[in-house]
Amino acid sequence: QVQLVESGGGPAQAGGSLRLSCAASGSISTINTMGWYRQIPGKQRELVAQNTNDASGGSTDYADSVKGRFTISRDNTKNAVYLQMNSLQPEDTAIYYCNAKKRVGRIVVGNNYWGQGTQVTVSS
């Protein structure tokens, strides 16, 4: 099992910035991908950004809506992932969830782990 603990989030003004942090513990060797999803009530959870470490050098994916504004980073020494969110817009308002899993190519292998979620609210 992998446990994920998030921090950060909260209110922000449009055009402002926030930084989310997520620390993983437990069976870290079973995951190679860490990232962030978000969910608005009544809508499906969607990928925001994720980073995969693998033998081919790894990869990073971003949702089109956040490209150029959000940056994902990882600190493997701390088993942590961060999401720097700049130029925030009201439509970024959602609950943000940390996610960890193992991917082989685009296939998820094994369990999908989730944090408890942290609210981000952007006002205009």
Side-chain angles (χ1 to χ4, degrees):
Q1 294 291 318
V2 174
Q3 295 78 42
L4 301 173
V5 179
E6 301 150 345
S7 59
Q13 294 287 324
S17 299
L18 285 173
R19 185 175 189 245
L20 305 182
S21 301
C22 174
S25 61
S27 302
I28 303 300
S29 62
T30 65
I31 63 171
N32 66 354
T33 298
M34 294 187 73
W36 297 90
Y37 285 68
R38 65 186 181 188
Q39 187 170 23
I40 300 169
K43 293 194 175 182
Q44 282 192 329
R45 195 171 295 187
E46 64 176 6
L47 174 70
V48 177
Q50 64 184 3
N51 174 265
T52 298
N53 290 331
D54 59 26
S56 66
S59 62
T60 300
D61 302 306
Y62 289 98
D64 288 342
S65 60
V66 307
K67 284 180 181 176
R69 300 188 299 122
F70 292 9
T71 302
I72 188 171
S73 60
R74 285 177 72 172
D75 184 340
N76 292 320
T77 65
K78 298 181 179 179
N79 298 318
V81 65
Y82 308 97
L83 186 67
Q84 179 65 42
M85 305 184 291
N86 297 329
S87 301
L88 284 163
Q89 301 167 3
E91 47 267 38
D92 295 317
T93 295
I95 299 173
Y96 283 71
Y97 295 91
C98 182
N99 171 258
K101 55 187 173 254
K102 184 171 184 176
R103 296 170 74 205
V104 178
R106 290 189 172 274
I107 306 298
V108 177
V109 179
N111 294 328
N112 226 337
Y113 299 100
W114 298 97
Q116 77 279 7
T118 184
Q119 177 71 47
V120 171
T121 303
V122 184
S123 57
S124 57

